[in-house]
Amino acid sequence: MVAESEQYLSAGLSKVAVSETHGEDSPYFAGWKAYDENPYDELRNSDGVIQMGLAENQVSFDLVEKYLEKHSANIGKEASSFRENALFQDYHGLKSFRKAMASFMEQIRGGRAKFDPDKIVITAGATAANELLTFILADPGDALLIPTPYYPGFDRDLRWRTGVNIIPIHCKSTNNFEITQESLESAYNEAETKNIKVRGVLITNPSNPLGATITRPVLEGILEFVTRKNIHLVSDEIYSGSAFSCDEFVSISEILEARKYQEYSQRVHIIYSLSKDLGLPGFRVGTIYSYNDHVVKTARRMSSFSLISSQTQHLLASMLSDRQFTETYIKTNRERLRKRQQMIVSRLENSGIKCLKGNAGLFCWMDLSPLLEECTKEQELDLWKLILHEVKLNISPGSSCHCSEPGWFRVCFANMSEPTLEVALKRIHVFMSSRKLNS
Amino acid sequence: MELKGSSNLSKLATSDDHGENSLYFEGWKAYDNDPFHPTRNRKGVIQMGLSENQLSLELIEDWIKKNPQASICTPEGVHAFKDIANFQDYHGLPRFRNAVAKLMGKVRGGRASFDPERIVMAGGATGASELLMFCLADRGDGFLVPSPCYPAFDRDLRWRTGVQLVHVECKSSNNFQLTKQSLENAYENARKANINVKGLIIANPSNPLGTTMDKATFKMLVNFINDKKIHLVCDEIYSATVFRGPKLVSVSEIIEEMDRCDRDLIHIVYSLSKDMGLPGFRVGIVYSYNDKVVSCARKMSSFGLISSQTQHFLACMLSDEEFVEEYLTESAVKLANQHDLFTRGLEEVGIKCLESNAGLYVWMDLRPLLKEATFEGEMDLWRVIISDVKLNVSPGSSFHCHEPGWFRVCFANMDIKTMRIALARIRKFVVRENDQVQQVKKQKKTSNLGHLTLSFSSQMYDETWVVSSPRMLSPQSPLLRAKT
């Protein structure tokens, strides 16, 4: 207590700095720590913790490497344009890069929607994009409605420095966690009772952690809802290229295109990034796509705090404007992810574990509620700790994703080699078999 | 279907705090509309409002040619691609942090050393300064800023953070040096306005002055912030642009000499945009002596991490100690030469600049050319310089300078040929202005009309320079309106 008051006595830090909204005390991150301390390695540490809590895409890296090896002579011969590139700090971003991103986004949507490069705002990763958009759409104290379960990082990205609240739209397993009109209305009313102004709905499509795309009717319903309430709709589509088949993913941009945009588009904003689809999280490549000119203008100005390195823009402009590369990549990546997911889901089933039916993403949503004596958050966390320390797998407990039903876990499958996945699946099988014996 | 225009956006989004309506940017627009080019547009506007270091880029280009492995896109470097592309740890690449720490030490001539564990990444200095505000101050709190200061502080420090800036007025009478009195005055002003001051931010070397703080002043400042128990943020992004003595005294050195300084109050903003001429790479650094701030800043850096591709490249380049030494030495020489060429050219036509030893610009004294010693006079002169002389220079008022007539002029973003053209234009302009003044003088002598009124500032100067003539006051400039 003394320490706390001392903090404010003299040149303390800000309230933001001392708050815990950075979220790092959540189990989502505790598991990472356990992994960091004892990481699995095929040869050197076969007893270590296997990281299944990190949504990264490493299944298609070889395609990117091959591309670079083939074209490196050309990309690398950059010394002549080095000067221009090194000096380029324009927050509009490289035109060639924006064109390439627009084209890539169109290809992912099978050409069913068009993207205007001048509506693309560049940011250092989706993390920056999400925060930036929140600053623009909401005032401190306002709220965004977000369907549960959702990406744990949203608690920090959308709330920490912005002062904006998240009000959950509770989704249930009984209807596969679909977002219903009732759940939307219920969340909106909750805000009203608390005297909190709702500024928008934020959806992740394909969903993290569900690993499933949102269907067309549900998207239409959400668009109707936000229009009725006169609020914004943010669609985080960073996993759009990770849908297992092109046709199964419906983007909000397609819905707008079908409605000929009209008055609907002004309230819609899309977040994209190359961290998941292309497996390049280190490059910090995020974008905001907005149909609202004022949002584009303001976002562009605000992006000054988190621009993409011009070096990286330049590299990606080359890569993503190569249609041969992008078409092959998108197709192959989808196929590989589908195979991985099939492998893990069928093996889990053999071990007696059911997963939510998924068709996208780098993870599956696993139901371990039958293993809980009581369906409580505490028991879920106990089970999580058990799996972490005894089965030596770091998976993400549903409570860290704000799931309203205990017992669900997110399991990532694309951030490791197939042999490692095999080891993980074997461990799960042994664990489940021993539980059957003991019960 | 309501959502119209900006009606449904946040207050942040609809305010003007993005700062782009400032005159600082108007000049840029004039340049954008008619940019000078040595062959294609010799009559265009020469950009002298952009503080960039373009003089030593070929040194880096040469290094790149000799070191293809530093790029993950070359055959020699592509083997590192996978690990680098996957690396998103907000601690940053250890080699990168080590290399930056070493660079910072070298720039300070080994007079201070830096701990790589205290280095936190940010989206350029823009991101770094904002990040520190988020860590150190709440909405509505205040930060003291000595003026004249970098115009974009208004946006960077205030826009999303809600922090207020209170200027510490520095005066030309003592070469704009910071004094204890001015600090106390500013602090008192804040107190009267009920603003809770959390810290002070100072650029050293100064933008726009181009000067470095002397030890005595610095110690006075550190004592001040310690007494008031407020934070000190030192923006040292121009540290390697010191081209002449006195050497830079960094805050990192000062605190070693002061026992009673609470190190938890000391934070540094660094960047490679100016020192190394790499603004496109968005390399911002927060360095804090306060463990809690390092920890918090690191978490916040998630919003503006440096591309791992860039971290990797810079780790390679900056670990080449021989290259770094060579670069720092040559860059300083080039800056000195360019600075001297420019200031000598100005002196030849009687234009003085504040004596400076750093920076990519000079702080030019055009008070003698003002028709009125007011900000309107400064605006009028500035408009003439943009539209007639065709140089984009930055008016002192956009730097919150409290005395009209000063202009920041950048010299390191052009080659010598372009500079000579700029100087020729200035020469022509000054000669013409002098002629006009002489005409007015002759006229007044012969026509016996009223009396000559001298502006207070011209009384300080040689009367052959300029004499203010009575004229109609132009409508109050928006800048003045905003100030009152």
Side-chain angles (χ1 to χ4, degrees), chain B residues 279-325:
Chain B
F281 290 4
R282 313 316 301 149
V283 181
I285 302 287
V286 169
Y287 188 93
S288 176
Y289 291 88
N290 181 322
D291 291 343
K292 287 205 181 81
V293 172
V294 172
S295 171
C296 174
R298 192 174 280 131
K299 295 179 172 99
M300 261 189 211
S301 68
S302 303
F303 298 110
L305 294 174
I306 300 172
S307 167
S308 52
Q309 176 191 15
T310 301
Q311 290 185 55
H312 176 79
F313 166 73
L314 290 168
C316 291
M317 189 173 78
L318 299 177
S319 316
D320 184 345
E321 300 204 32
E322 212 182 285
F323 167 75
V324 170
E325 307 261 359

Side-chain angles (χ1 to χ4, degrees), chain A residues 11-12 14-15 24 56 58 68 72 79 86 88 91 135-136 139 199 230 232 263 282 301 309-312, chain B residues 1-3 8-11 20 61 73 81 85-87 90 134-135 138 229 231 265 280 307-310:
Chain A
S14 63
K15 294 192 187 91
E24 287 194 16
E56 270 181 6
Q58 295 186 24
L68 283 174
S72 61
F88 186 84
Y91 62 26
F135 270 121
I136 292 180
D139 291 315
R199 302 306 289 266
N230 192 26
H232 294 275
E263 65 277 18
R301 287 178 172 144
S309 170
S310 53
Q311 241 189 340
T312 303
Chain B
M1 312 292 131
E2 291 185 48
L3 213 114
N8 226 355
L9 304 185
S10 67
K11 296 191 182 86
E20 285 192 16
E61 280 170 312
C73 303
F81 187 89
N86 216 41
F87 185 85
Y90 63 25
F134 272 120
C135 288
D138 294 326
K229 293 195 174 35
H231 293 279
L265 299 175
S307 167
S308 52
Q309 176 191 15
T310 301

Side-chain angles (χ1 to χ4, degrees), chain A residues 7-18 22 24 54-58 61 64-65 68-69 71-73 75-77 79-83 85-89 91 124 127-128 131-132 134-140 156-158 160-162 197 199 227 230-232 263-264 266-267 269 275-276 279-284 292 294-295 298 301-302 304-313 315 319, chain B residues 1-3 5-14 18 20-21 50 52-58 60-61 64-65 71-75 78-79 81-88 90 122-124 126-127 130-131 133-139 155-157 159-160 198 229-231 262 264-265 267 273-274 277-282 290 292-293 296 299-300 302-311 313:
Chain A
Q7 224 164 23
Y8 282 99
L9 247 185
S10 68
L13 305 190
S14 63
K15 294 192 187 91
V16 164
V18 305
H22 52 72
E24 287 194 16
L54 190 53
E56 270 181 6
N57 183 0
Q58 295 186 24
F61 229 90
V64 177
E65 275 172 322
L68 283 174
E69 272 153 20
H71 295 91
S72 61
I75 306 173
K77 208 191 290 171
S80 52
S81 65
F82 173 78
R83 170 180 279 263
N85 194 247
L87 293 171
F88 186 84
Q89 57 174 326
Y91 62 26
T127 304
E131 187 197 45
L132 199 157
T134 306
F135 270 121
I136 292 180
L137 303 180
D139 291 315
R156 174 196 64 187
D157 299 352
L158 309 177
W160 192 18
R161 306 192 304 181
T162 60
K197 190 169 176 198
R199 302 306 289 266
T227 308
N230 192 26
I231 57 181
H232 294 275
E263 65 277 18
Y264 299 100
Q266 289 299 294
R267 58 182 82 255
H269 324 281
S275 301
K276 310 298 177 181
L280 308 171
F283 287 1
R284 313 316 300 144
N292 181 319
H294 196 98
V295 171
T298 309
R301 287 178 172 144
M302 232 184 244
S304 303
F305 298 106
S306 49
L307 294 170
I308 303 175
S309 170
S310 53
Q311 241 189 340
T312 303
Q313 290 185 54
L315 165 62
M319 211 195 293
Chain B
M1 312 292 131
E2 291 185 48
L3 213 114
S6 58
S7 59
N8 226 355
L9 304 185
S10 67
K11 296 191 182 86
L12 256 186
T14 47
H18 51 74
E20 285 192 16
N21 299 330
L50 188 54
E52 270 181 1
N53 184 357
Q54 296 187 22
L55 305 183
S56 305
L57 279 169
E58 74 266 18
I60 300 182
E61 280 170 312
I64 291 176
K65 284 193 188 110
S71 162
I72 45 177
C73 303
T74 57
V78 76
H79 62 91
F81 187 89
K82 182 172 179 181
D83 287 338
I84 296 296
N86 216 41
F87 185 85
Q88 57 173 329
Y90 63 25
T126 304
E130 187 199 44
L131 195 156
M133 291 302 112
F134 272 120
C135 288
L136 305 176
D138 294 326
R139 295 199 146 264
R155 172 196 66 186
D156 298 353
L157 307 178
W159 193 17
R160 306 193 299 182
K198 290 307 288 284
K229 293 195 174 35
I230 60 177
H231 293 279
D262 179 0
D264 277 349
L265 299 175
H267 323 278
S273 301
K274 311 296 178 183
L278 306 171
F281 290 4
R282 313 316 301 149
N290 181 322
K292 287 205 181 81
V293 172
C296 174
K299 295 179 172 99
M300 261 189 211
S302 303
F303 298 110
L305 294 174
I306 300 172
S307 167
S308 52
Q309 176 191 15
T310 301
Q311 290 185 55
F313 166 73

Side-chain angles (χ1 to χ4, degrees), chain B residues 372-476:
Chain B
E372 280 173 29
T374 61
F375 286 108
E376 282 147 11
E378 179 183 284
M379 283 305 103
D380 288 339
L381 178 58
W382 175 68
R383 290 210 168 90
V384 165
I385 295 175
I386 299 253
S387 53
D388 292 358
V389 192
K390 297 265 189 101
L391 302 176
N392 176 32
V393 300
S394 312
S397 49
S398 63
F399 294 87
H400 296 284
C401 184
H402 282 256
E403 299 169 40
W406 293 87
F407 290 78
R408 189 193 74 175
V409 190
C410 300
F411 59 74
N413 62 319
M414 61 186 65
D415 58 27
I416 293 187
K417 283 202 191 103
T418 308
M419 173 170 295
R420 291 199 201 279
I421 294 175
L423 284 169
R425 291 185 187 179
I426 294 174
R427 190 171 299 125
K428 217 166 137 188
F429 170 68
V430 170
V431 164
R432 202 181 64 205
E433 286 294 290
N434 279 347
D435 280 348
Q436 279 184 3
V437 159
Q438 295 305 323
Q439 296 283 356
V440 169
K441 260 186 162 171
K442 263 196 212 153
Q443 254 183 352
K444 298 266 175 209
K445 267 191 184 144
T446 55
S447 74
N448 211 20
L449 265 177
H451 26 264
L452 238 38
T453 50
L454 293 175
S455 75
F456 73 85
S457 66
S458 64
Q459 276 167 354
M460 286 156 57
Y461 293 88
D462 183 345
E463 276 183 30
T464 56
W465 262 111
V466 72
V467 152
S468 84
S469 45
R471 59 198 292 277
M472 290 290 291
L473 275 177
S474 51
Q476 195 174 37

